[in-house]
Amino acid sequence: MSDFVSSGWSYWVTIISLGGVIFCLWLLWSQRQWLENKDVTDTGHEWDGVTELNYPVPRWWIIFYLGLCAVGLAIMFMYPALGSNPGSLGFTSRAEAEADRLAQLARIQPEYDKYKNLSFEELAGNSDARALGERLFLNYCAQCHGSDAKGSPGFPNLSDNDWLWGGTPEAITHTITEGRHGIMAPLAAAVTPAEADAIAHYVRSLSGLSSDPTIAPLGQAKFATVCAACHGADAKGNHLLGAPNLTDNVWLNSSSKDTIVKTILEGRTGTMPAQKSVLTADQIRMLAAYVWGMSNKQ
C-alpha cells in the first residue's frame, strides 16, 4: 500500500531518484579522457614557478563510480525506492516490523500462558499477574491516564468506581479492544447562555457543590428537556451512551460553573483508541484485569 496521497508524488520521487543516477553517469562520461589514454597536459598557466597541469580522472575512480551506479540501480529495482513501485523483492519496512513484532509476541507468549485458566478475580489478586498488567498499563495507557491511573482533565480516573462505559470486566475488555468515542453534543442551538448557566447551577447542586438555589430549579426544568435523554431523568448517566453520572463528585474536565456552561454550549468529544491492532487478546485480558482490580481491591 502506497503512503503517497497522490500519484504525482510517486512520479516525482522516481524522476529524482533515476535522474540522480543519470546525472552521475553523464558526469562520468564527460570526464572520459581515460578512454582515450590521454596523458597529463600543461594548461599553460604558471604562477611563481608553479605550473597548472590537467590530469585525466583516474581509471579506477571512473570504474568505482560506475559500479556504484550499477549497485544503486539494482537496489532501486529490487526495493521500493522508485515511488510507489514495490520492487522485485516485495520488501517493505512495515512487513519487516510486523514480522519482528510477531516474533517478539511468540517469545513472550509462554509468560501469558501461565494465566490462561485464571478468572478476572484471580488475575487481579495474583501479584505476578498484576505486575505484568501494570507494565502493560505503563507502556500503553499511562500517557493519557497517568502512571497512577488517576487520569487528568479529559482522561478518566481508572482507580475509582465511576465508569463512563461500565466497569465490569466485559465492559473494560471491550473498551480496550474496540476503543470508545464519546460525544457531548453542543447545545448552543437549543439552550441560551442564561439557561446553560441555570443548568450548571442545578448540576452542581446534584454533586453537593455551591449553587444558587433560586436559579437551580430553572436549570432542573431545562435539564429534563435537553439533558435527560442521555444523562437520565435522575442524572445518573448511561453506560450505553458513555454519558457520565452527574450526581457524584467525579468530573472528567472540571466542576467549575464556567467549565460546565462551556461544555453545555460547545459540547465535548473524546476518543479512546482501539488497542486490538496493538495488543494481543491475552495482553488485553491481562490489562483489563489490572484496571478492573484497581477499583475492585482484592
Side-chain angles (χ1 to χ4, degrees):
M1 181 178 68
S2 173
D3 291 327
F4 293 106
V5 296
S6 169
S7 60
W9 289 111
S10 175
Y11 295 136
W12 175 252
V13 170
T14 301
I15 292 171
I16 291 296
S17 299
L18 292 177
V21 176
I22 292 172
F23 173 78
C24 187
L25 291 173
W26 171 84
L27 186 62
L28 294 174
W29 177 252
S30 69
Q31 304 299 315
R32 61 186 182 280
Q33 292 94 332
W34 63 278
L35 288 174
E36 302 169 7
N37 294 318
K38 285 188 176 181
D39 296 324
V40 178
T41 58
D42 189 339
T43 64
H45 299 153
E46 182 179 337
W47 295 271
D48 296 332
V50 178
T51 303
E52 180 184 11
L53 302 178
N54 184 15
Y55 282 87
V57 176
R59 182 172 298 183
W60 69 266
W61 193 91
I62 294 288
I63 295 173
F64 178 77
Y65 272 91
L66 285 174
L68 287 179
C69 289
V71 171
L73 288 173
I75 291 175
M76 288 181 188
F77 284 98
M78 288 191 296
Y79 293 91
L82 299 177
S84 299
N85 188 337
S88 61
L89 298 181
F91 169 86
T92 65
S93 56
R94 182 178 300 165
E96 184 180 47
E98 179 63 14
D100 290 343
R101 187 182 75 87
L102 293 176
Q104 174 64 15
L105 290 177
R107 284 194 293 270
I108 65 176
Q109 186 58 40
E111 184 66 25
Y112 292 94
D113 290 339
K114 300 176 185 177
Y115 309 103
K116 274 188 175 295
N117 298 322
L118 298 184
S119 65
F120 262 77
E121 293 79 3
E122 291 171 328
L123 286 175
N126 185 295
S127 60
D128 292 335
R130 282 201 311 272
L132 184 54
E134 182 181 26
R135 289 196 293 272
L136 288 169
F137 183 90
L138 292 174
N139 282 332
Y140 297 99
C141 312
Q143 294 85 345
C144 293
H145 295 284
S147 58
D148 58 0
K150 293 188 181 299
S152 60
F155 301 97
N157 183 347
L158 303 180
S159 63
D160 57 20
N161 285 304
D162 189 82
W163 297 90
L164 291 174
W165 302 92
T168 64
E170 295 76 19
I172 297 173
T173 300
H174 186 274
T175 296
I176 297 172
T177 304
E178 302 294 338
R180 300 288 187 180
H181 183 60
I183 298 176
M184 160 69 188
L187 299 174
V191 176
T192 66
E195 290 172 331
D197 186 76
I199 294 174
H201 277 281
Y202 169 66
V203 170
R204 283 175 57 83
S205 72
L206 297 177
S207 300
L209 300 173
S210 61
S211 60
D212 188 335
T214 64
I215 299 178
L218 300 176
Q220 181 178 9
K222 196 63 179 179
F223 181 93
T225 303
V226 298
C227 308
C230 294
H231 294 281
D234 57 1
K236 291 188 179 297
N238 186 333
H239 288 161
L240 295 178
L241 300 175
N245 182 352
L246 302 178
T247 65
D248 56 20
N249 200 29
V250 178
W251 297 87
L252 186 58
N253 290 285
S254 171
S255 62
S256 73
K257 182 179 71 68
D258 290 342
T259 300
I260 297 173
V261 170
K262 180 180 176 66
T263 299
I264 294 171
L265 295 177
E266 300 180 9
R268 298 279 184 184
T269 183
T271 299
M272 157 71 189
Q275 300 297 312
K276 60 185 178 182
S277 62
V278 178
L279 301 172
T280 66
D282 288 330
Q283 289 175 320
I284 290 175
R285 181 170 178 269
M286 194 69 64
L287 180 55
Y290 172 73
V291 172
W292 179 86
M294 283 191 288
S295 57
N296 295 270
K297 305 298 182 182
Q298 299 297 303

